[in-house]
Every structure is written in structure tokens, then in C-alpha cells.
Amino acid sequence: MDWKKLLTPQRLGRTEQEDIQHGRTPFLRDYDRLVFSSPFRRLKDKTQVFSLPTNDYIRTRLIHSLEVSCVGRSLGRIVGDEIIKRHKLDKYGYSPSDFGEIVSAACLAHDIGNPPFGHSGEDAIRTAFQSWYSSVNQIKEELLTEFQKADFDLFEGNAQGFRILTKLEMVPQRGGMQLTCPTLAAFTKYPRESLIPESILKNSTSRIPKKHGFFQAEKD
């Protein structure tokens, strides 16, 4: 693996080199941008698990995401320490905290595109689009390609999260939040589109997950 490429500070949508701040790495900037973003704050209104508690404490996706980011930071540092030792990356100035900050930022954003009510919310959105199809004549042939229609039929919160991070937030700025490529790569748990042609499935020996990580609008 080319670790210098994998750990690049390059940001999506930016061509100029970022100014390095002492004590604040590009990956830590990613974390801070997420914390101060509107989509992240909106997670406070989305429940993680609602189990009819007897008290007034309800776990939200905001709390859940903060907890996951803490665990991810620790695991990232542990793994990063081993990788740096194996590949002698310290000579390039990398440290275990770089790995921890990347994983922590990705964990912080992992639910940012999920609708309220979790998977039930995704099902509701899919059903709404199916109802819309039935009310518009020739929707399949005239307005949407087969791949675009699959994005709606199989609406996925992870793909919506990628759309928020790379396009919807901080518009009209190119690249959305302009997070670093390593953070976006770590965030993208399912790097595939919603529709995989049958011809590819037949010739594939890999286990292709049911989930997808981006919509056609963000494929490039």
C-alpha cells in the first residue's frame, strides 16, 4: 500500500495546498468541521433506539455518534501505531494520532445521512417514491435512467450521508464540506452504486453487500 497516498491531506474540491497549523492536523480539522456543521447538529432530533424508557433519557444519534467517534479514535490509534512500526512511516512525519483522527471523523459522520426512525425512515422514503412513480406516467422511461431509479427504490442513508458531505453542505463551495480524501474514504463503508447489472453479479466471486454508498449524482 502507498501510505503517503492513503494519508494525503488533499481535500475534495480544492487544488491549492492547505496551510499547516501547528498542533492541528488536516484530519483534526475534518472533525471540527463536522462538529460545527448543521447536519451533525440535526442528529440530536433523531433517535438511535427508542425502547419506551421509564425516564426522560432518550439516546439520540448525536450522542451515539460522539460515543462511536471516541471508540474509533482509540482503535485507530492502536492500529496506526502498529502500521507505523511495520512500514516505518514515522520517517514521513506520520503518527498514530493521524489514524485515530481519520477514523474518529469518519465515525462522527457515519449516521449523518440517516433519516429519522432509522431503517424504517429509509423504508418510508422508498415507499414515497414508489407512490410518486404511480402518479406520474412514463416516469421510468422519460425522467430517470435505470440506475437513477434504483437510487430511489433502494434509498440508503449512507449514500445520502456521502451526498451531504460532498455536495449539499456549504454550497455552492465545490466539494461540499471539503473534507480530506482519507476521511471520506473511511466514511464510505459501501463503495458501490445502488444497481449492479446481472452480468457483473454472475461473473463476480466477491460477496457484494446489500447496501450502497453513493448515488448516481455523486458517482464521479
Side-chain angles (χ1 to χ4, degrees):
M1 290 187 178
D2 186 352
W3 287 102
K4 291 183 69 175
K5 184 176 181 180
L6 289 172
L7 297 173
T8 175
Q10 178 63 45
R11 294 190 177 279
L12 183 69
R14 293 187 63 176
T15 55
E16 67 275 14
Q17 190 170 2
E18 184 173 18
D19 294 333
I20 301 300
Q21 295 182 356
H22 179 69
R24 189 166 179 253
T25 67
F27 312 125
L28 187 56
R29 288 189 187 187
D30 286 344
Y31 187 93
D32 294 345
R33 288 187 185 191
L34 287 163
V35 168
F36 285 93
S37 70
S38 296
F40 180 73
R41 291 196 299 271
R42 285 197 292 268
L43 292 175
K44 70 180 179 62
D45 295 321
K46 301 177 183 180
T47 58
Q48 174 66 12
V49 176
F50 186 72
S51 55
L52 299 177
T54 57
N55 54 38
D56 61 353
Y57 172 71
I58 297 177
R59 179 175 295 275
T60 68
R61 286 192 181 272
L62 181 69
I63 298 299
H64 166 73
S65 298
L66 289 169
E67 292 172 340
V68 173
S69 73
C70 291
V71 176
R73 182 179 60 237
S74 297
L75 292 176
R77 285 181 175 176
I78 293 171
V79 173
D81 183 60
E82 182 62 28
I83 290 175
I84 286 175
K85 290 178 181 177
R86 287 187 185 185
H87 301 280
K88 299 179 174 59
L89 299 183
D90 52 337
K91 62 183 178 181
Y92 299 119
Y94 297 123
S95 70
S97 62
D98 290 324
F99 291 82
E101 288 166 3
I102 292 170
V103 176
S104 181
C107 289
L108 195 70
H110 84 279
D111 272 349
I112 208 165
N114 286 14
F117 307 109
H119 298 305
S120 296
E122 290 174 329
D123 292 338
I125 292 174
R126 294 167 187 165
T127 301
F129 278 116
Q130 291 170 3
S131 176
W132 179 58
Y133 296 150
S134 64
S135 66
V136 181
N137 294 329
Q138 298 179 323
I139 180 70
K140 299 178 183 179
E141 294 78 10
E142 296 185 1
L143 296 182
L144 300 174
T145 66
E146 182 183 15
F147 287 86
Q148 290 171 334
K149 183 175 180 298
D151 284 348
F152 293 116
D153 291 340
L154 303 172
F155 179 85
E156 169 62 47
N158 289 286
Q160 178 66 12
F162 187 77
R163 180 173 172 79
I164 289 172
L165 297 179
T166 62
K167 184 176 291 184
L168 299 183
E169 183 66 2
M170 297 184 179
V171 293
Q173 178 174 269
R174 182 171 175 266
M177 295 182 70
Q178 293 188 340
L179 300 179
T180 62
C181 293
T183 294
L184 288 173
F187 169 84
T188 308
K189 302 186 289 295
Y190 312 105
R192 52 151 286 196
E193 54 195 322
S194 59
L195 180 65
I196 298 181
E198 191 65 29
S199 58
I200 296 180
L201 288 173
K202 288 181 179 179
N203 298 324
S204 176
T205 57
S206 65
R207 294 183 60 191
I208 300 176
K210 294 181 179 180
K211 293 178 177 289
H212 56 276
F214 59 87
F215 297 129
Q216 291 300 304
E218 285 70 54
K219 183 174 181 177
D220 289 345

